[in-house]
Amino acid sequence: MRSGCLRLLHGLLCVLLSLSRAGAWDFQPCAPGCPLYSECVNATACRCKPGFASTSTEIFTNLLEICDEVDECKQNPRICKGRSTCTNTQGSYTCQCLPGFELNPEDPRLCIDVDECSSGQHQCHQSAICTNTLGSYQCHCRPGWEPISGRHHGWNSIICKVKPLFTWPLPPGVHSQSLSHFTDKVNNLHKDVKPIQAKDTIQGIVQEVDELLETPGDLETLPPSQKHCMATHLLTGLESALTHLSRALPEGTATFNYSAGTQVSLEVQKKGICNVTFSLNQAKMQLNWNKAQESCYKGPSVVGLVSTPGMAKLLAEAPLVLEPEKQVAPHGTHKDLLPRVSPILLSDVISAFLSSNDTQNLSSPVTFTFFHPPVTLAPRHKVFCVFWDHSQNGSHWTTAGCRTVSTGGGSTTCHCTHLSSFAVLMAHYHMQDDDPVLSIITCVGLGVSLLCLVLAALTFLLCRAIQNTSTSLHLQLSLCLLLAHLLFLTAIDRTQHKVLCVVTAGALHYLYLASFTWMLLEGLFLFLTARNLTVLSSSSRNRLMRRLMFPVGYGVPATIVAVSAAARPHLYGTPARCWLNSEQGFVWGFLGPACAISCVNLVFFLMTLWILKSKLSSINREVSTLQNTRMLTFKAMAHLFILGCTWCLGVLQVGPMAPIMAYLFTIVNSLQGVFIFLVYCLLSQQVREQYRTWLKRIRKRTAEPESYTLSSKAVSDAS
């Protein structure tokens, strides 16, 4: 039995030794009796588990030590991040998020906001709009809507209805049974309207407007002023109703047609494309979608176009008010073109509206194309793009903010910088009666100037004693003014042939600009002459002028006219005169260079006077030099008066002094040729001597036949 026990003990030791060699048994002695919430380190020491701590050291040997729980939330108050709270647990902690937040999957200590609107966790009614907030959301009504029940914020649901902003009360001072019946039916349509009924409500309102315009009843018996008031009432009310109701429509395009011809085209989008085009039977609109979007509103944006041909019954005899337009032609022919009181309505009345609040000052114009019956414009007829203005000064058509781009072939294109109700009108012009005194002064003055310019040109060509660079300048100036005055007298009023009128306006533009350019060269030459007065040789100055004369004198005005004609060829010629049209500031294609040259000539004049003053006060008192200096002084003063000041009077024809300035401008400017002949011919000693020589030759030639006749008679008597 003893041997059996030994064999059993020996076998057990072999098993333990094999397990130890195999690594299956690692025996490490551990301290017995470690306290609660601790673990042994070795045979004699213990330490507290994670989440617990001893009152002494981390590793202890005293078996009576106590491991207390650690409160991580108090120990590190910021251990949980974001909108969360820390909760202590047995040996650990947890982070709990506030309502409206959730734990970040990547960081369990961080809470992030929950977007209830995008995730569908909100309780907003379908008639309201959900807006996410930090930790919550808000339910609110669209602009133009109001809540029926509930609160405007939090997670409580609210139900919205359209505000009664488009109720149409009877306009003051208008008494009509048809209008009263219409108002009652429209006001009943929007009571307790729900978003799903917005389309039906729109159709009902437009249907009522269409029926009223088709059968206006006693509205046709109202005075014109009350009819215009009714038109304003219907146009503004319809625009307001459609603007607010269409926001409840689903995204997309909707078009409605009615029996009297009324058409409505709407488009609702959240993110609009760059450009949109609306097409109706008689009109088309093109605009950039960004104009329809409101920066403070995240709901859908709306663009709409309404055509109401029946509105023409109420807008008959409506007045047209034009922006101030003055047609100014040379020589004092100052005309005001005024339309008659009753223009002709060519197109349907269309109304354009946006969900955006600011539609009166658009950053870029909106393009409208109106389709109407083809018209042949008679003389003094013009087509206008207009809008219906219902300001405090009364309702009327006006062209403010709208520009007629093109017309013809049964369509008219307009650019407008605001939105309202638009149409195309044709107005018949009448001109104010001409002042007969101004007409007589113009004809007589230009006639005398033409004669003087012909004599001056012949003098500059035939008088060899005065032929030099200065004479060449005088000759070119005289020729340009001669042709301009002749063309003005013969063709300025011939507006019957449009092409011929355009050519005449372009030729006058060129000739008058060329005259101004030669005036500038005259001033430059006078300045150079005064500066080089004491220099014996002036060949370099003459060579410079000969090189500059013709390229500058005829090339600069040709360039200006070419650019003007290429930019706006349709603005050559007006209904009254074959001259530049004042629309879009086109007349400044002539006034701008003219004013600039006048200012430069004034500078040359002042510089010339300064140089001459120093020469007059110099010690050198030679008679010839003094005489030349005085003559240059006189020419400089005459040059400024003749060539610069006369045209300044034309620009000053404004205000109460306009009639006086018109007379002065007409008298002085029509006598330019007389002044040129007087200064450069009659007051020149060399020219006067040449005239005497020519007169002596003429007398001698006339005297020779007379003497021959007398001698022949005497011989015959003697015989």
Side-chain angles (χ1 to χ4, degrees):
M1 185 174 180
R2 181 178 181 182
S3 61
C5 292
L6 289 174
R7 282 194 298 269
L8 180 61
L9 181 59
H10 181 265
L12 182 60
L13 290 175
C14 290
V15 171
L16 291 176
L17 182 59
S18 63
L19 291 175
S20 176
R21 289 176 179 176
W25 182 273
D26 289 333
F27 178 78
Q28 182 177 2
C30 184
C34 285
L36 186 62
Y37 305 123
S38 66
E39 58 185 5
C40 67
V41 178
N42 51 39
T44 60
C46 302
R47 61 182 173 190
C48 296
K49 293 181 179 180
F52 298 88
S54 63
T55 57
S56 58
T57 59
E58 180 181 358
I59 299 176
F60 53 88
T61 57
N62 186 5
L63 298 181
L64 299 178
E65 189 73 35
I66 298 176
C67 290
D68 296 324
E69 182 185 3
V70 177
D71 192 343
E72 291 86 355
C73 298
K74 290 183 178 180
Q75 189 176 21
N76 185 8
R78 297 183 179 180
I79 193 171
C80 292
K81 301 179 236 181
R83 302 299 178 95
S84 62
T85 58
C86 179
T87 302
N88 189 56
T89 60
Q90 186 75 20
S92 183
Y93 67 94
T94 58
C95 294
Q96 296 180 347
C97 297
L98 297 176
F101 297 87
E102 62 183 1
L103 288 175
N104 189 348
E106 299 179 358
D107 187 356
R109 297 182 301 165
L110 175 64
C111 291
I112 57 176
D113 179 49
V114 177
D115 190 349
E116 293 86 356
C117 298
S118 301
S119 61
Q121 301 178 21
H122 64 88
Q123 299 180 7
C124 294
H125 191 265
Q126 61 178 355
S127 63
I129 298 176
C130 175
T131 301
N132 186 61
T133 60
L134 189 61
S136 184
Y137 63 92
Q138 288 184 348
C139 302
H140 58 88
C141 297
R142 297 181 176 91
W145 295 61
E146 62 182 3
I148 297 177
S149 62
R151 291 182 295 174
H152 284 278
H153 60 279
W155 48 86
N156 295 288
S157 176
I158 59 174
I159 301 176
C160 302
K161 68 175 182 179
V162 179
K163 289 183 180 179
L165 294 179
F166 55 90
T167 55
W168 283 338
L170 290 173
V174 178
H175 304 285
S176 168
Q177 292 183 354
S178 299
L179 181 60
S180 300
H181 183 60
F182 163 79
T183 304
D184 292 339
K185 290 195 294 184
V186 170
N187 289 337
N188 288 330
L189 286 173
H190 79 278
K191 288 183 177 179
D192 300 327
V193 65
K194 295 180 175 56
I196 57 175
Q197 300 173 335
K199 183 177 180 180
D200 296 336
T201 306
I202 290 174
Q203 290 179 319
I205 291 176
V206 181
Q207 178 69 39
E208 295 298 334
V209 173
D210 183 74
E211 292 178 359
L212 178 65
L213 295 177
E214 186 176 15
T215 55
D218 58 355
L219 290 180
E220 293 184 325
T221 62
L222 296 175
S225 59
Q226 293 190 8
K227 286 184 180 179
H228 303 160
C229 180
M230 272 302 309
T232 301
H233 191 65
L234 291 175
L235 290 172
T236 55
L238 183 60
E239 179 182 339
S240 176
L242 293 178
T243 302
H244 291 92
L245 283 171
S246 56
R247 286 177 170 174
L249 296 176
E251 290 190 48
T253 303
T255 303
F256 311 104
N257 298 288
Y258 301 91
S259 59
T262 303
Q263 286 185 293
V264 179
S265 180
L266 300 170
E267 185 160 348
V268 183
Q269 291 188 23
K270 287 186 177 180
K271 289 185 178 180
I273 57 178
C274 184
N275 294 304
V276 293
T277 300
F278 287 87
S279 295
L280 300 177
N281 290 339
Q282 301 298 324
K284 183 171 65 174
M285 178 178 69
Q286 295 174 308
L287 81 163
N288 191 295
W289 186 267
N290 293 331
K291 297 184 181 69
Q293 295 176 327
E294 296 178 276
S295 58
C296 60
Y297 174 60
K298 297 182 179 180
S301 299
V302 180
V303 179
L305 190 65
V306 184
S307 175
T308 51
M311 201 68 68
K313 300 176 183 178
L314 300 178
L315 294 175
E317 301 180 2
L320 170 62
V321 177
L322 293 176
E323 292 181 290
E325 290 183 315
K326 301 289 185 181
Q327 308 293 339
V328 183
H331 305 295
T333 54
H334 190 104
K335 299 294 172 189
D336 292 334
L337 300 184
L338 302 175
R340 287 182 176 175
V341 177
S342 302
I344 301 173
L345 185 62
L346 293 181
S347 68
D348 294 346
V349 180
I350 66 167
S351 300
F353 61 90
L354 303 176
S355 56
S356 175
N357 294 325
D358 185 15
T359 59
Q360 298 305 309
N361 296 291
L362 301 178
S363 57
S364 57
V366 179
T367 301
F368 294 96
T369 302
F370 294 86
F371 304 101
H372 51 76
V375 292
T376 302
L377 295 179
R380 298 180 183 177
H381 280 79
K382 189 173 182 180
V383 173
F384 293 96
C385 295
V386 295
F387 82 96
W388 184 247
D389 187 6
H390 45 86
S391 59
Q392 296 179 353
N393 298 327
S395 299
H396 55 265
W397 295 111
T398 181
T399 58
C402 287
R403 180 172 63 90
T404 306
V405 178
S406 63
T407 183
S411 66
T412 299
T413 302
C414 311
H415 281 174
C416 297
T417 56
H418 58 85
L419 294 184
S420 180
S421 298
F422 303 91
V424 173
L425 303 182
M426 183 177 68
H428 180 272
Y429 278 102
H430 72 278
M431 293 187 302
Q432 291 181 346
D433 295 333
D434 289 340
D435 189 341
V437 178
L438 283 178
S439 300
I440 294 174
I441 292 174
T442 300
C443 293
V444 174
L446 289 181
V448 176
S449 285
L450 285 174
L451 177 60
C452 292
L453 287 171
V454 171
L455 294 176
L458 292 175
T459 301
F460 298 143
L461 284 172
L462 301 177
C463 187
R464 295 182 179 180
I466 63 171
Q467 287 182 353
N468 52 30
T469 304
S470 178
T471 307
S472 299
L473 293 172
H474 302 336
L475 176 61
Q476 301 305 321
L477 173 61
S478 301
L479 291 176
C480 289
L481 284 177
L482 175 65
L483 294 176
H485 291 346
L486 184 62
L487 187 61
F488 180 86
L489 276 178
T490 57
I492 190 67
D493 293 324
R494 299 185 180 276
T495 59
Q496 295 83 0
H497 303 285
K498 187 174 181 181
V499 176
L500 182 61
C501 184
V502 170
V503 174
T504 301
L508 284 174
H509 188 197
Y510 175 76
L511 289 173
Y512 280 114
L513 280 180
S515 301
F516 268 95
T517 309
W518 287 108
M519 293 174 192
L520 177 63
L521 293 174
E522 289 263 14
L524 175 61
F525 185 77
L526 278 175
F527 166 70
L528 294 177
T529 303
R531 193 187 65 174
N532 300 326
L533 190 61
T534 58
V535 180
L536 295 178
S537 177
S538 58
S539 59
S540 60
R541 178 195 64 199
N542 291 334
R543 286 197 301 269
L544 175 64
M545 291 305 300
R546 290 193 188 98
R547 292 176 181 176
L548 290 178
M549 277 197 317
F550 291 98
V552 175
Y554 291 112
V556 170
T559 303
I560 296 175
V561 174
V563 172
S564 301
R568 296 182 178 90
H570 60 283
L571 295 182
Y572 275 101
T574 70
R577 291 288 185 268
C578 297
W579 183 238
L580 306 186
N581 202 317
S582 64
E583 292 182 4
Q584 306 174 34
F586 188 68
V587 73
W588 283 99
F590 169 73
L591 294 179
C595 293
I597 291 175
S598 299
C599 294
V600 174
N601 272 344
L602 178 61
V603 173
F604 283 151
F605 169 72
L606 296 176
M607 295 171 65
T608 303
L609 286 185
W610 180 261
I611 294 173
L612 296 177
K613 177 184 175 183
S614 63
K615 292 187 180 297
L616 285 173
S617 60
S618 63
I619 301 176
N620 186 5
R621 295 293 184 177
E622 294 182 3
V623 177
S624 60
T625 303
L626 183 60
Q627 289 178 347
N628 292 336
T629 303
R630 289 176 177 174
M631 180 54 66
L632 281 176
T633 305
F634 172 75
K635 284 188 175 183
M637 296 177 63
H639 177 268
L640 178 68
F641 176 74
I642 296 173
L643 308 179
C645 295
T646 55
W647 293 90
C648 295
L649 296 174
V651 184
L652 297 177
Q653 296 183 41
V654 293
M657 296 296 292
I660 299 175
M661 291 298 174
Y663 275 94
L664 291 175
F665 175 70
T666 304
I667 295 172
V668 176
N669 211 34
S670 61
L671 295 176
Q672 275 186 337
V674 178
F675 294 147
I676 290 176
F677 180 69
L678 176 65
V679 172
Y680 295 117
C681 295
L682 295 183
L683 295 181
S684 173
Q685 184 178 359
Q686 291 177 320
V687 174
R688 290 199 304 269
E689 292 177 356
Q690 185 67 45
Y691 285 166
R692 292 191 191 100
T693 303
W694 288 342
L695 288 174
K696 288 179 181 179
R697 291 178 181 176
I698 293 173
R699 289 175 182 175
K700 184 178 179 180
R701 290 179 181 178
T702 55
E704 287 178 355
E706 290 179 359
S707 61
Y708 176 78
T709 302
L710 291 175
S711 62
S712 299
K713 184 178 181 181
V715 171
S716 63
D717 291 342
S719 301

